[in-house]
Amino acid sequence: MRFTTLTLAMTLAAGAAYANPVAPGDVSFSDTGAIAESLTGTPGDAASGAKVLADRGAGNCVACHKISSLDAAFQGTVGPSLDGVGDRWDSAQLRGLVANAKHTFPGTIMPSFYKTAGYIRPGDEFSGKAAKGDLQPLLSAEQVEDVVAFLTTLKQQ
Amino acid sequence: MLRTTTALAVGLIATATLGWADADENELVVNGEIEITTHAPAPAYVDGLTEIYSGWRFREPDTQLTQMDDFDNPAFLAVDAAQITWDTVEGEAGKSCASCHGDVMESMKGVRATYPKWNETAGEVRTLAMQINDCRTENLKAEPYDYTSGKMTAMEALISVPSRGMPVNVAVDGPVQSTWEQGKEMYYTRYGQLELSCANCHEDNYGNYIRADHLSQGQINGFPVYRLKNTKLNQVQDRFQGCIRDTRAETFSAGSPEFVALELYVASRGNGLGVEAPSVRN
């Protein structure tokens, strides 16, 4: 806890909000698959998060999930509807779900969006060729926080 | 967090149920006379399915209709071109396919239904494409086709026509067994940065939508397939490459031992469906 506060203070002092995101390999998950601390030390932006969810080139979450409030064509049915998801999970658990849902649901089909190792034949994006150099996570730390910020707004009660 | 578990469990059951129900009830009869089985009990060795369905049962009615009459099916332009190739002498041996095999509609009856299969002389599992190329290089003394080329898919389509409606009946044991096991292992491997296996989409989620795409069981009784999306005949291993690429993975090359194994295994998951090739999909 103290360490995190210190990191945050240093980040703010440097004046760059996202200077020190937690690296994918350093993220720690609770027993239930939650991530307690923000990956960036800064609250995410819900409006940007909504774009990440709908964008084919980013999260493309709507490929599998329906979100009624989102203006995106052809929302998928592979995963559960995310309507009301902010009532069902707190932000730490939502952060864990987006970063690596396999800690919450072992074996789930849902891809891990903040992870860079442990893949079988990883490709160079959608080229079908082998990945070159170090892999980037599917979403940046900032994008994960933005998505979490948006998900917490999905409340029905 | 406990509170949420029940709600989620209920949601998942609903999703799973949809997956089983979502093939339509239409029946496939081509040219008003060839009845094609598009729904059958799953073979016993397919652990994850009880019923098998052709991809045709998941397409829109207008796409389905296009396949029901050879005059409407755009694949038949390629079939006609391949018929000319079949009868034309090519290569240093001075022969055509017809020199050895005569009328394709008679001699090739049933062939498409049993491939990939074991070739005793060569001691290998052969796909139809491999056999076509073997005849070209050994019997015609002509150049092989590129594995997924237009000429190859056209020839595969022509050879498939006389088998339409016959049940797919690919051998899974005996000398092919180890290849079949390799293909099975690949089918359940979660490739790429999205960590998705064939089974994740085509076994666990057929009937569901992934964005705009209505997921089928990924059966291959219809290959080669004329796709409205790219307006050409598509070779089955070309399709495998596309699906693996979509998981952000490094694919395998067409004609590789891995894809031969995968093709054998996927073909066997459709044992009992009717041969549809050349079919029409979106």
Side-chain angles (χ1 to χ4, degrees), chain B residues 1-194:
Chain B
M1 222 44 64
L2 272 178
R3 181 174 59 86
T4 61
T5 318
T6 333
L8 190 75
V10 172
L12 286 179
I13 291 160
T15 317
T17 314
L18 264 178
W20 298 106
D22 223 2
D24 69 26
E25 293 298 319
N26 294 340
E27 283 177 20
L28 176 54
V29 180
V30 175
N31 301 335
E33 57 179 21
I34 310 170
E35 291 176 15
I36 299 185
T37 303
T38 54
H39 174 204
Y45 47 77
V46 181
D47 303 329
L49 299 175
T50 53
E51 312 281 319
I52 52 175
Y53 296 96
S54 158
W56 186 84
R57 295 280 288 267
F58 297 83
R59 307 285 50 102
E60 294 294 325
D62 51 343
T63 308
Q64 291 182 330
L65 264 177
T66 311
Q67 196 186 312
M68 293 179 76
D69 190 318
D70 293 350
F71 283 106
D72 298 328
N73 182 341
F76 275 81
L77 291 173
V79 169
D80 291 345
Q83 179 67 65
I84 294 171
T85 309
W86 179 269
D87 294 318
T88 304
V89 171
E90 207 186 328
E92 284 163 22
K95 289 181 183 154
S96 68
C97 312
S99 312
C100 292
H101 298 293
D103 181 356
V104 63
M105 295 303 151
E106 289 303 322
S107 64
M108 292 295 135
K109 211 172 262 173
V111 167
R112 169 65 179 79
T114 59
Y115 270 84
K117 74 171 178 205
W118 182 252
N119 181 295
E120 191 57 49
T121 321
E124 66 182 12
V125 177
R126 270 195 192 157
T127 62
L128 188 53
M130 286 163 74
Q131 183 56 50
I132 290 168
N133 265 346
D134 192 75
C135 276
R136 287 185 59 81
T137 56
E138 302 312 305
N139 300 326
L140 265 56
K141 304 285 178 209
E143 289 295 310
Y145 293 140
D146 283 346
Y147 201 94
T148 59
S149 62
K151 293 219 153 189
M152 178 63 88
T153 45
M155 186 55 74
E156 289 181 304
L158 173 71
I159 290 171
S160 302
V161 169
S163 298
R164 280 192 298 178
M166 297 173 74
V168 174
N169 185 15
V170 166
V172 301
D173 47 20
V176 307
Q177 197 195 343
S178 61
T179 308
W180 184 86
E181 298 285 356
Q182 181 190 356
K184 179 176 181 185
E185 165 138 18
M186 290 178 71
Y187 194 86
Y188 290 96
T189 299
R190 300 186 65 165
Y191 291 113
Q193 208 176 351
L194 299 182

Side-chain angles (χ1 to χ4, degrees), chain A residues 65-145:
Chain A
H65 293 286
K66 185 169 137 350
I67 303 144
S68 310
S69 63
L70 210 62
D71 182 23
F74 304 118
Q75 305 187 2
T77 57
V78 167
S81 161
L82 296 184
D83 292 350
V85 82
D87 298 318
R88 297 197 283 280
W89 306 100
D90 62 20
S91 61
Q93 195 71 42
L94 288 169
R95 184 178 295 113
L97 277 162
V98 178
N100 187 346
K102 291 169 186 87
H103 288 273
T104 310
F105 303 110
T108 182
I109 185 178
M110 180 163 154
S112 305
F113 288 89
Y114 201 62
K115 178 179 141 171
T116 50
Y119 299 116
I120 300 169
R121 295 176 76 86
D124 185 11
E125 306 205 348
F126 291 106
S127 68
K129 305 213 167 66
K132 296 191 215 73
D134 290 342
L135 287 173
Q136 295 302 309
L138 295 170
L139 296 178
S140 67
E142 184 186 351
Q143 285 175 314
V144 172
E145 293 304 328

Side-chain angles (χ1 to χ4, degrees), chain B residues 248-268:
Chain B
R248 292 175 80 118
E250 177 190 5
T251 62
F252 299 87
S253 22
S256 63
E258 291 89 349
F259 267 176
V260 172
L262 185 62
E263 183 177 335
L264 171 66
Y265 176 71
V266 178
S268 80

